[in-house]
Amino acid sequence: SGQLGNNIGVVVVSGGQPRRGRRRTGSHRHDHGNAVDFHLTRDGRRVTPEQDPQLYERKIELSAQDHAGIGHYGWGLHVGGGNPAFWGPDKSSKSADPKFAAAYQRGRSSQ
């Protein structure tokens, strides 16, 4: 997250966990590093997309350069591979914030 500023951090909520066992969080889509759920922090404090939409717009744009599937939620982002897709909180493109969707498109076009 250095491109976002030295005081911005990433907290992984689910990603790269074992396929089975007690230490899992999230779905199997996150296994083997193929996808991750995370939220951003500023100076160690959690920041949600609603609290700082411009920060999340920039993160979405940067992430879309390398990852095809991105979804935004009230708590943070899902970023992964697969077919190009962008979605909002109800897991459909219809609920995607237009500014976040535009950031995704900018990132995908700058590949």
Side-chain angles (χ1 to χ4, degrees):
S1 59
Q3 292 177 301
L4 299 173
N6 292 333
N7 64 334
I8 303 300
V10 174
V11 175
V12 174
V13 177
S14 176
Q17 68 267 325
R19 288 191 60 76
R20 300 186 202 298
R22 289 190 231 167
R23 302 202 64 205
R24 290 195 55 80
T25 306
S27 75
H28 286 284
R29 293 176 302 140
H30 299 167
D31 294 349
H32 309 294
N34 295 329
V36 63
D37 288 347
F38 65 91
H39 66 264
L40 300 175
T41 62
R42 176 179 285 110
D43 299 321
R45 293 192 183 111
R46 184 177 188 159
V47 178
T48 66
E50 184 177 278
Q51 292 168 326
D52 193 339
Q54 293 82 16
L55 175 63
Y56 276 85
E57 282 178 50
R58 183 70 180 130
K59 182 60 179 168
I60 290 166
E61 184 175 347
L62 290 169
S63 297
Q65 294 173 12
D66 298 313
H67 305 284
I70 298 178
H72 74 86
Y73 301 93
W75 50 261
L77 298 175
H78 167 90
V79 173
N83 294 324
F86 185 78
W87 62 93
D90 76 357
K91 298 183 182 175
S92 78
S93 60
K94 292 176 186 172
S95 67
D97 180 295
K99 290 182 181 178
F100 291 165
Y104 173 79
Q105 290 303 326
R106 286 192 306 273
R108 294 302 295 162
S109 351
S110 69
Q111 297 177 314

